[in-house]
Amino acid sequence: MNASMDTREQGPAPSAPDEWAPGGPTGHEAGHKAGRHPRGLATLVLTELWERFSLYGMVAILVHFLAASRAHGGMGLHQGTAEAVEGVYMAMISLLALPGGWIADRFLGARRAVLWGGAVIMAGHALMAVPGPAFVWPGLVLIVIGTGLLKPNISALVGRLYAAADDDQRRDAGYSIFYMGINLGAVIAPLVVGYLGEEVDWHLGFGAAAVGMALGLVQYALGGRRLARQLREEPVVRLTSAERTRVRRSSAYGLVFTASLVGLLAAAHALSIDNITFVLTVVAVVVPAGVLLSMYRSPKVTPAEKTRLRAYVWLFLAATLFWLVYDQMGSELNLFAAQKTDLSLFGLHVPASWTQSLPSLFVIVLAPLFAAFSCGRGPW
């Protein structure tokens, strides 16, 4: 859920009006003088709020839906398999941020990548809203692909709203607002989607997630005029003809390899959900390690950058361990809440999925207290 700074290469930021006040200063200069944030920030915050609403709403009920019996409208998977599917689903969402950022840089541009990503996410949720197991797996795949396009690029757009060198403090404050929008969406989503899914119908819950993403897309399109002209740029570095040929060749090899692997598993009568989740788990571990290794061995990386990269590896491992534990919230702890927790509150039954709102609620409530404590201690 963390918002990352924009570290991708970009050219000089063009000056553009940002609709601050009639006859007054415009663009980044206006924001700096007034101490206010660019108006485009509100568009990005609301878009991400609704995207997180759709994602965390669906995650709140996904493992319950997968583990529920067919008689209760679920998929009837073994509990361990349901947890594995949910875990791999979250891993793939994070992993596809790598190609999602690359596609934006070389093909679509970040702004269009966010729009297309949101549309694909909405389509995935809409598929899952259709009753029938045949729609579940394509729906999950579409949500993963769409989130890989949207998530890294909308975070980058927030950073690009603050292009001036003296905007560091405003940029940090902007990311804090953006992060609070994420958590607000994550608090509301389980309450709405969770209730509809658990108490009414699973597919109605998935449909509510689709509606949430649709609302995010509508306000993103309507609020596009608020974004500075720099967000409508073409991709940073377009592919050359030679690079396009290599991409097509690599894509073809990848498709052939995937089809061959699926064919072999099918021929061996081993094409099961458990085996697929195992393969994807291996991919989720091998690919980041390969990317880090290729970066370290790249001739474009200077010795000083290699030193920083070695230090980053330890931060990467620490973050990996943190998210490994944190994401048990949507699977193991979610089922624990349903099976081994007293869910009555003031005599009323509370859906187990509502417990998924608590971590983000704690962030919203406690963040100001920790910020005040930190400020009270003075500079470190």
Side-chain angles (χ1 to χ4, degrees):
M1 297 192 303
N2 59 316
S4 57
M5 302 295 286
D6 181 13
T7 56
R8 295 198 288 275
E9 180 183 355
Q10 51 186 293
S15 58
D18 210 11
E19 304 180 2
W20 287 100
T26 62
H28 301 298
E29 179 185 359
H32 179 68
K33 287 184 176 180
R36 297 167 59 188
H37 293 281
R39 292 189 177 181
L41 179 64
T43 297
L44 298 179
V45 168
L46 290 174
T47 303
E48 182 66 351
L49 184 154
W50 285 113
E51 186 272 332
R52 293 289 102 172
F53 173 93
S54 69
L55 175 67
Y56 284 105
M58 200 271 283
V59 168
I61 62 173
L62 178 60
V63 73
H64 298 298
F65 167 71
L66 294 173
S69 67
R70 293 293 181 91
H72 290 86
M75 292 289 289
L77 300 183
H78 184 272
Q79 181 172 313
T81 301
E83 292 180 21
V85 170
E86 198 274 344
V88 166
Y89 165 74
M90 295 299 291
M92 291 298 104
I93 280 179
S94 298
L95 184 64
L96 262 65
L98 290 172
W102 183 83
I103 288 171
D105 282 348
R106 310 307 294 272
F107 286 100
L108 296 176
R111 188 167 179 269
R112 280 191 293 173
V114 170
L115 184 64
W116 281 102
V120 174
I121 292 170
M122 184 182 66
H125 286 300
L127 273 181
M128 296 191 67
V130 179
F135 297 100
V136 172
W137 308 116
L140 289 175
V141 170
L142 287 179
I143 296 169
V144 166
I145 293 172
T147 308
L149 271 176
L150 185 148
K151 179 57 183 171
N153 293 301
I154 196 169
S155 298
L157 290 181
V158 174
R160 285 169 55 187
L161 284 174
Y162 306 90
D166 59 348
D167 268 352
D168 287 347
Q169 290 185 346
R170 285 204 310 137
R171 183 188 293 111
D172 290 345
Y175 270 111
S176 295
I177 296 171
F178 182 73
Y179 185 60
M180 282 300 169
I182 290 174
N183 283 287
L184 182 59
V187 169
I188 299 171
L191 303 180
V192 177
V193 178
Y195 175 80
L196 293 175
E198 279 196 79
E199 303 297 327
V200 184
D201 183 87
W202 299 115
H203 300 285
L204 185 60
F206 296 137
V211 171
M213 190 66 254
L215 291 173
L217 278 174
V218 168
Q219 75 84 33
Y220 181 74
L222 294 177
R225 62 186 179 82
R226 295 183 178 180
L227 298 176
R229 189 182 307 149
Q230 69 187 64
L231 302 186
R232 303 186 186 107
E233 291 176 337
E234 292 301 307
V236 178
V237 182
R238 283 193 175 276
L239 291 175
T240 64
S241 59
E243 288 173 331
R244 288 181 181 274
T245 300
R246 286 199 297 269
V247 168
R248 285 194 291 266
R249 186 183 300 118
S250 300
S251 300
Y253 289 155
L255 290 174
V256 170
F257 175 78
T258 302
S260 301
L261 180 61
V262 171
L264 288 173
L265 289 173
H269 303 287
L271 191 60
S272 66
I273 296 175
D274 288 327
N275 287 337
I276 292 174
T277 55
F278 174 77
V279 171
L280 292 177
T281 300
V282 173
V283 170
V285 173
V286 171
V287 170
V291 170
L292 289 173
L293 182 61
S294 65
M295 290 172 62
Y296 188 79
R297 298 179 63 180
S298 172
K300 297 180 181 179
V301 178
T302 66
E305 290 172 333
K306 288 185 177 181
T307 300
R308 298 188 187 103
L309 186 58
R310 286 196 296 268
Y312 171 77
V313 168
W314 294 105
L315 298 176
F316 180 86
L317 292 175
T320 300
L321 291 174
F322 168 80
W323 289 110
L324 184 149
V325 174
Y326 183 90
D327 279 340
Q328 301 304 308
M329 173 185 72
S331 55
E332 183 67 28
L333 295 179
N334 207 348
L335 291 174
F336 181 88
Q339 299 168 1
K340 301 181 180 180
T341 305
D342 182 0
L343 293 172
S344 60
L345 182 65
F346 304 115
L348 299 175
H349 173 73
V350 175
S353 55
W354 281 18
T355 62
Q356 300 297 294
S357 294
L358 294 177
S360 295
L361 178 63
F362 290 147
V363 170
I364 293 174
V365 172
L366 297 179
L369 300 179
F370 280 100
F373 173 76
S374 178
C375 293
R377 291 177 58 91
W380 296 92

